[in-house]
Amino acid sequence: MSIDIYWRIGTHGDQSSLRRRLVTRGDWSPVVPGSITPGLREGRPDGYSHLDHMADVARSTELSGFVGGLLPSFPFTDDPWAAAASLARETTTYRFMIAFQPGFLHPVQAARMSASLQRATGGRVVYNIISGGGGPAQLWWGDKVGHDDRYARTSEFLDVLKAVWSGGPVTHEGRFYRVEGAGLPERLAGQPFPEIYFSGSSKAAIEAAGRHADYYLSWLEPFPALAAKFDQVREHSAAIGRSPRFAVRIDVLARETEDEAWAEIRRGWRHVDPERLRGPESTGDSVGWLRSSRFVDWPVRAPRELEASPNVWGGFHLLRGGPAFGLVGSYSQVAARLDELIALGVDAFILAGVPHLEEARRVGENVLPLLRGRWPDTAPDTSVPTLEPKGSTR
């Protein structure tokens, strides 16, 4: 079976943090409120909208060998459901992985929306189920449900959604949801149910993922920790007769040589607030974020101190919002690390980089063709390439 590789589509624009952007000329530059960053067309009165930009990313990544795109959902992003509906006609086979928190939709409405979009796109909808990281971002949505209860709510949500999808009428009275006689319109029945990518690192998350996930999705971590987490998910899933596949969300900074890649990191490092190098900031009750922070010996002074293992760098969150760990290195090094993850049992990737369009083309043209394990049924040699030493510029 082949490895599915998605690219993140920037539903929030190409902003790399609140203060700086990695613009198309390759510099990290401070953002002045109300100004136009040189090299970016977004915001200029030329008729080219952000939707046009997202369409460019979707078309380019489809041509570059990505199977689809992740449409993130945060307080500062466009709505991913609306974006997917708008972008569907721009592509042919491209899948749209819609990120959403079940707590902010009713499961019957989610079933109707999803089935309508499946019908319109020929079955190209994929779910990225998230249950929220707590803290101010969760309160932005008006959600005060505690950590473990959010996963219990997510599990019940998916139970109801699946029941409605498989045929009605459905009557359900549970802890979080109550429905009577629910079902889909006849013309929407029979659509393929979206694959579920389910994220979360806590015990409650892993239990919910074991019940519902087609793909258990994790942020990148040092590989031994990631392998141990996968084993935990396998053990729990096996106990209930299920065997989910595994996916990893990874930011990538790849260049022709390793030195060029680290030079990009150093340019961004100049804008990092020194206070943030003392230790990780509190971001609510996300267990995944707490795990990431424990893989680093704080405080840090230089970028390479955050390199947990060759090319596995834990400082992306200092340059832009999002997870800490990603891959930095030459095209061949990044491909080698992805092949190592495939050997660990990873079945799918969500890759990302800014600026979204330019980095998607770079990764699609220079990294994906180097993967040996992507097509295991046809590739004669699936061995993992030998690690290159630090400092290699091959």
Side-chain angles (χ1 to χ4, degrees), residues 251-263:
D251 272 68
V252 172
L253 202 162
R255 294 295 185 266
E256 184 68 33
T257 70
E258 184 181 23
D259 286 348
E260 289 178 85
W262 286 108

Side-chain angles (χ1 to χ4, degrees), residues 147 200-202 219 221 229 285-293 295:
H147 180 278
S201 296
S202 66
W219 286 346
E221 296 178 352
K229 186 197 289 188
D285 55 14
S286 169
V287 173
W289 178 253
L290 292 174
R291 281 176 61 96
S292 293
S293 67
F295 297 127

Side-chain angles (χ1 to χ4, degrees), residues 216-394:
Y216 174 76
L217 174 62
S218 176
W219 286 346
L220 182 66
E221 296 178 352
F223 293 3
L226 197 61
K229 186 197 289 188
F230 289 170
D231 286 342
Q232 186 179 2
V233 174
R234 287 190 187 98
E235 181 179 356
H236 176 77
S237 299
I240 57 176
R242 300 192 75 244
S243 54
R245 288 164 282 181
F246 296 91
V248 185
R249 156 78 171 82
I250 308 175
D251 272 68
V252 172
L253 202 162
R255 294 295 185 266
E256 184 68 33
T257 70
E258 184 181 23
D259 286 348
E260 289 178 85
W262 286 108
E264 292 280 4
I265 294 295
R266 288 192 295 272
R267 275 194 284 273
W269 191 262
R270 295 198 300 263
H271 300 283
V272 175
D273 183 350
E275 288 298 315
R276 300 189 67 194
L277 304 181
R278 297 180 182 274
E281 300 168 338
S282 175
T283 57
D285 55 14
S286 169
V287 173
W289 178 253
L290 292 174
R291 281 176 61 96
S292 293
S293 67
R294 291 169 182 162
F295 297 127
V296 174
D297 292 327
W298 302 95
V300 297
R301 297 171 298 280
R304 298 299 286 261
E305 293 179 20
L306 292 167
E307 191 177 15
S309 59
N311 312 113
V312 179
W313 191 60
F316 277 97
H317 65 296
L318 299 172
L319 306 181
R320 52 95 189 102
F325 280 90
L327 297 177
V328 179
S330 69
Y331 300 139
S332 60
Q333 287 173 324
V334 169
R337 301 298 86 75
L338 294 175
D339 270 325
E340 287 181 0
L341 289 168
I342 292 171
L344 285 179
V346 174
D347 304 286
F349 295 103
I350 303 171
L351 306 182
V354 290
H356 297 84
L357 178 60
E358 290 79 358
E359 291 301 306
R361 288 172 175 166
R362 190 190 303 273
V363 173
E365 293 173 4
N366 298 292
V367 176
L368 299 193
L370 299 179
L371 293 181
R372 299 186 181 187
R374 186 177 185 186
W375 310 104
D377 294 334
T378 58
D381 180 5
T382 58
S383 61
V384 177
T386 303
L387 290 179
E388 297 179 24
K390 287 188 178 182
S392 170
T393 57
R394 182 171 66 84

Side-chain angles (χ1 to χ4, degrees), residues 1 4 11 28 56 64 112 230 235 259 308 310 312 328 336 382:
M1 184 176 64
D4 287 344
T11 49
W28 291 91
D56 279 348
S64 297
R112 185 176 68 162
F230 289 170
E235 181 179 356
D259 286 348
V312 179
V328 179
T382 58

Side-chain angles (χ1 to χ4, degrees), residues 5-19:
I5 303 179
Y6 292 80
W7 184 259
R8 182 191 62 195
I9 296 178
T11 49
H12 58 296
D14 265 330
Q15 186 170 323
S16 55
S17 78
L18 294 178
R19 296 187 298 271

Side-chain angles (χ1 to χ4, degrees), residues 150-164:
R150 291 200 300 272
Y151 285 98
R153 179 178 63 187
T154 292
S155 192
E156 185 179 334
F157 172 98
L158 290 171
D159 284 338
V160 175
L161 193 157
K162 290 176 179 178
V164 170

